[in-house]
Amino acid sequence: MSYRIGIDVGGTNTDAALLDDQLRVITTVKVPTKTNSGEGITHVIERLMRRSGISGAEVSTAMLGTTHCTNAIVQRKGLRRVGILRIGGPATTAVPPFEGWPADLRATVEGYAAVITGGHEFNGREISRLDRDAVLRACTEMRGLVDAVAVVGVFSSVNIEHETIVGKIVREELDVPVSLSSQIGTIGLLERENATILNAALIQTLGDMADGFQRALDSYGIAAKIYFGQNDGTLMSLDYALQFPVLTIGCGPTNSIRGAAHLSGVENALIVDIGGTTTDIGVLTNGFPRQSAHAVEIGGIRTNFRMPDVLSIGLGGGTIIRTNPADSQENLTLGPDSVGYRISQESLVFGGNTLTTTDIAVAAGRLNIAGRRSPQILPELFQGAERAIRSTLEEAIDRMKPSANPVPIVLVGGGSIISPLSLEGTSSIMRPEHAEAANAVGAALGDIAAQVENVFSLKEISRAEAVSRARIEVIERTITAGASPSGVEVISIEEFPVAYMEDAFIVRVRAAGQLA
């Protein structure tokens, strides 16, 4: 029998799950996240292997979901300098690249920027001839100044010709990674450009993470294929992830949603993932996380690559509860800060001096911690905290419900024990076995997926031909991402009109398949 390991590196804990070849959960472990995330991964693998008793040779695949890239953007650390070549001159010079970026993030990432003559109309027709000499001059000017290059063409998601040519020239002239916007974002130029710049800045960042993951596996004799979790709750191969590291942003909540679906057997519900610091609420639709229909802001800039539709609030198992000494014990403040991974030193139940939501769960009898007594909490304070936790969760659930009708809820995450057993607006509440490590279970599940979104003109192509072309392209992308060619299925096809253009429409197609 072969096994697979799923690991999810969160801000508070690093979780791991071991699944067999029938996707049954064998065991799970949880360790505090280290400042050096590589050390946390090594520690959690050591505990998982010791607890399960299997050998490294029996593990065939290893999957990692990580917030490493998200943290790099938020903290402005580990990012590389990027040269940006926008193909759209002279029509797109009014808003230059990096416009609107936070000053500190721009200072960290910006290495060079130029607008090159070229680009296409929405229907794929050429706006102007590509200025290849300008591309060569730009390569000369940014040689030695940048670690990666982002190439962005106007409507390149419709016609990739100019982007492909420029990318080829840059690779021949400069020995640095090149990111093409047509492979990352959707229609909007500036949001797609931002996403492509971030992708280029993160390539080496994720490469360092992948090297650390590989070394941790090697140290336990695990010669497994490596996969990374991506934003829609599916996986991508190591090689694909190193090309598109930006797709790992947001994989944490989607891992939990996919894991919750697997553990509960439910395909349509709200997933409430309560960790140590935050609660993420996502919508499970037909077994997959619902995608956001809006532009997503990351680190202060707008992007438009696919991201899960998730609501995050500052409520977790380590959330700090404060009272005003001059006020009633019932009038309290719930977070949003948390003791995080220091909960085992600072929370009352562990002998600390900080009242947290975990203390309330213990006092309510929903959680028993071996060797620990229930903390002494004044009745008014306990009741006020219970009401605050309940109302915070109910308000967040109401914001994410697809309709006014009660919805089923699946509770997961290490902090899910703080939730009351009944909540207004819900039809049922389920907390399945291994719920505390649903994120790691979700990371270990083996679906590979990809998405294509293109604009078509009905003057150039029929609607049926456009959909067929998009289907072929998304299947090719899914196989490239690591799926078995024999098992790829198109799971959704959406069509949208383009504002103010009667003869144009957008086709968005998603496909998924099992590991090759």
Side-chain angles (χ1 to χ4, degrees):
M1 178 177 289
S2 64
Y3 297 89
R4 57 178 63 191
I5 291 175
I7 297 175
D8 185 276
V9 183
T12 303
N13 292 303
T14 296
D15 298 295
L18 182 72
L19 278 64
D20 65 15
D21 54 9
Q22 301 300 309
L23 300 183
R24 291 173 297 208
V25 179
I26 304 303
T27 189
T28 62
V29 297
K30 183 186 294 285
V31 302
T33 294
K34 304 284 187 181
T35 304
N36 182 337
S37 55
E39 293 180 8
I41 292 174
T42 301
H43 186 199
V44 82
I45 291 176
E46 186 273 331
R47 288 193 58 184
L48 191 73
M49 301 303 289
R50 181 155 46 88
R51 178 177 292 184
S52 66
I54 68 166
S55 68
E58 296 176 273
V59 180
S60 60
T61 50
M63 296 80 164
L64 180 66
T66 174
T67 59
H68 197 62
C69 289
T70 309
N71 295 342
I73 295 171
V74 173
Q75 299 173 12
R76 282 60 162 148
K77 292 181 179 178
L79 300 171
R80 298 304 191 270
R81 299 191 74 81
V82 177
I84 167 71
L85 297 182
R86 180 193 292 174
I87 311 166
T92 64
T93 55
V95 182
F98 292 105
E99 183 70 19
W101 279 48
D104 56 345
L105 183 57
R106 179 172 181 170
T108 303
V109 173
E110 185 177 13
Y112 178 87
V115 180
I116 306 296
T117 299
H120 296 88
E121 301 279 3
F122 78 96
N123 57 9
R125 293 178 181 172
E126 195 175 79
I127 296 175
S128 55
R129 185 181 298 275
L130 176 64
D131 188 347
R132 298 178 186 237
D133 292 336
V135 178
L136 290 171
R137 286 196 300 274
C139 288
T140 300
E141 292 170 358
M142 63 180 162
R143 180 174 287 113
L145 298 178
V146 301
D147 304 303
V149 173
V151 180
V152 183
V154 175
F155 281 111
S156 62
S157 51
V158 179
N159 190 327
I160 64 172
E161 180 185 0
H162 287 183
E163 261 198 14
T164 304
I165 293 172
V166 173
K168 184 172 184 294
I169 294 173
V170 174
R171 289 189 182 94
E172 291 173 350
E173 295 294 321
L174 304 174
D175 185 23
V176 297
V178 177
S179 296
L180 304 182
S181 76
S182 57
Q183 299 176 331
I184 296 172
T186 53
I187 302 301
L189 174 64
L190 297 181
E191 291 85 356
R192 176 161 43 89
E193 182 175 88
N194 291 339
T196 308
I197 295 172
L198 286 181
N199 189 76
L202 290 166
I203 287 177
Q204 189 58 50
T205 308
L206 191 70
D208 294 342
M209 184 74 181
D211 289 343
F213 188 34
Q214 183 70 69
R215 286 194 297 272
L217 294 173
D218 291 343
S219 64
Y220 292 96
I222 300 174
K225 290 183 179 179
I226 293 177
Y227 295 86
F228 276 77
Q230 58 176 327
N231 307 339
D232 60 1
T234 58
L235 300 171
M236 52 186 168
S237 65
L238 175 60
D239 291 341
Y240 195 83
L242 292 177
Q243 292 182 61
F244 306 109
V246 76
L247 297 181
T248 65
I249 296 173
C251 70
T254 54
N255 282 342
S256 295
I257 295 173
R258 290 280 288 143
H262 181 72
L263 294 172
S264 66
V266 174
E267 292 196 337
N268 295 283
L270 283 189
I271 308 301
V272 180
D273 177 18
I274 306 177
T277 304
T278 61
T279 294
D280 297 321
I281 302 177
V283 182
L284 181 68
T285 304
N286 298 324
F288 285 89
R290 186 175 71 184
Q291 299 296 295
S292 173
H294 306 289
V296 178
E297 192 167 287
I298 300 171
I301 60 172
R302 286 170 60 87
T303 65
N304 65 354
F305 60 93
R306 66 181 191 274
M307 286 286 285
D309 187 7
V310 172
L311 173 65
S312 296
I313 59 174
L315 176 64
T319 295
I320 298 172
I321 301 170
R322 297 183 176 87
T323 59
N324 183 349
D327 205 344
S328 166
Q329 293 286 343
E330 297 182 38
N331 190 9
L332 50 84
T333 302
L334 197 61
D337 52 338
S338 165
V339 294
Y341 63 86
R342 304 184 307 279
I343 190 169
S344 58
Q345 293 87 43
E346 298 188 12
S347 187
L348 294 183
V349 69
F350 290 104
N353 297 314
T354 305
L355 176 62
T356 69
T357 49
T358 291
D359 296 316
I360 300 301
V362 173
R366 294 193 294 273
L367 175 62
N368 291 312
I369 300 176
R372 300 289 175 179
R373 293 181 178 179
S374 177
Q376 298 298 312
I377 303 172
L378 292 174
E380 297 82 0
L381 178 56
F382 169 77
Q383 293 165 6
E386 279 278 83
R387 279 196 296 272
I389 294 170
R390 175 186 294 278
S391 64
T392 300
L393 287 173
E394 289 177 346
E395 180 181 345
I397 288 170
D398 188 62
R399 291 173 60 186
M400 290 298 289
K401 286 169 57 178
S403 72
N405 297 324
V407 294
I409 298 292
V410 181
L411 280 174
V412 295
S416 60
I417 202 69
I418 71 170
S419 172
L421 299 178
S422 64
L423 292 168
E424 187 176 340
T426 65
S427 58
S428 63
I429 295 179
M430 179 188 301
R431 190 173 186 275
E433 187 180 7
H434 302 299
E436 70 284 354
N439 48 1
V441 174
L445 298 175
D447 290 328
I448 301 283
Q451 176 176 298
V452 164
E453 181 174 319
N454 287 336
V455 179
F456 295 97
S457 170
L458 291 172
K459 293 181 179 178
E460 308 287 338
I461 189 173
S462 71
R463 187 177 298 275
E465 289 173 326
V467 172
S468 176
R469 185 182 297 179
R471 287 176 62 100
I472 292 172
E473 184 177 348
V474 77
I475 289 173
E476 290 175 347
R477 283 195 186 188
T478 309
I479 294 171
T480 301
S484 170
S486 61
V488 176
E489 294 183 5
V490 173
I491 56 177
S492 70
I493 300 176
E494 300 171 277
E495 298 179 29
F496 310 93
V498 178
Y500 310 114
M501 296 180 182
E502 295 181 355
D503 61 342
F505 68 107
I506 299 170
V507 178
R508 179 188 298 162
V509 186
R510 293 187 70 231
Q514 295 186 339
L515 291 176

